[in-house]
Amino acid sequence: MAEKGGKKAQSGKVEEQALALVKPIVEEAGYKLWDVCFEKEGANYYLRIIIDKEDGVGIDDCVNMSHAIDKPLDDADLIDRQYNLQVSSPGIERKLTRDFHFDYAMGEKVILRLIRPCDGRREFNGILSGYENGAVTILLEDEIEMTAEKKEIAFVKLDDFNM
């Protein structure tokens, strides 16, 4: 676990800087960098590095990557506050947040949750059929396509990880 002291850090900026720093390290070790998240939970901050590989990620993979990226992150001093470093796998119901996530999941079952209800519903299940400029299109069970803009979406995640 990495810990730093300091002032306020901007989440998006930290995530992009950390992504640029750790991506080559992760890829050189044979993994794919799925995502980087800098989040506050309660009084604690977490920098989460989410890695993936074709045959799945185990605890040893996470420990090894944590050791590989801890010092470069500390040396870069990207985060000006105390934080915990966590390395994990994306999990079965992986969230789709970045453009390449949507390319990866095209044609797969997803759950799309809206920030506000549409026709009395906030959650929709369907097949990811399109993604353009942040707009997500899913094919619902009744063969109707539904498109939601990024600003309307709480999250999109895989419904059934079967890849």
Side-chain angles (χ1 to χ4, degrees):
M1 258 193 259
E3 294 194 5
K4 291 283 187 194
K7 305 172 197 164
K8 185 178 181 186
Q10 292 180 339
S11 181
K13 183 179 177 184
V14 166
E15 290 170 355
E16 294 310 312
Q17 290 175 334
L19 186 143
L21 179 72
V22 303
K23 186 174 183 177
I25 300 167
V26 169
E27 290 176 350
E28 185 176 308
Y31 300 96
K32 181 174 188 166
L33 182 61
W34 182 258
D35 212 349
V36 173
C37 305
F38 184 60
E39 303 169 314
K40 183 177 183 188
E41 290 181 9
N44 299 314
Y45 285 86
Y46 295 89
L47 178 63
R48 293 189 170 102
I49 309 297
I50 304 166
I51 60 172
D52 200 10
K53 68 178 182 179
E54 204 165 302
D55 57 346
V57 173
I59 189 73
D60 290 338
D61 298 309
C62 296
V63 169
N64 292 337
M65 278 313 314
S66 181
H67 291 304
I69 63 177
D70 188 39
K71 183 167 178 12
L73 282 168
D74 281 348
D75 291 347
D77 200 24
L78 302 176
I79 303 171
D80 59 0
R81 63 181 58 234
Q82 185 177 16
Y83 71 97
N84 298 300
L85 173 63
Q86 292 181 341
V87 177
S88 66
S89 74
I92 292 174
E93 293 182 338
R94 55 185 68 201
K95 286 187 178 179
L96 308 178
T97 58
R98 300 188 182 271
D99 291 347
F100 81 87
H101 294 167
F102 291 92
D103 292 337
Y104 174 84
M106 198 60 62
E108 298 295 326
K109 293 183 210 174
V110 295
I111 299 170
L112 183 146
R113 177 175 280 240
L114 299 173
I115 295 169
R116 289 176 196 78
C118 174
D119 295 330
R121 290 177 59 190
R122 286 184 60 204
E123 196 163 285
F124 297 85
N125 295 26
I127 304 296
L128 180 63
S129 60
Y131 178 77
E132 189 174 335
N133 299 323
V136 177
T137 302
I138 63 173
L139 181 62
L140 303 174
E141 291 176 3
D142 50 6
E143 300 296 318
I144 295 174
E145 280 197 331
M146 173 199 165
T147 300
E149 299 294 325
K150 187 175 188 175
K151 65 183 178 189
E152 303 168 322
I153 299 171
F155 67 78
V156 180
K157 65 182 180 178
L158 286 179
D159 185 15
D160 189 22
F161 186 70
N162 54 11
M163 299 178 185

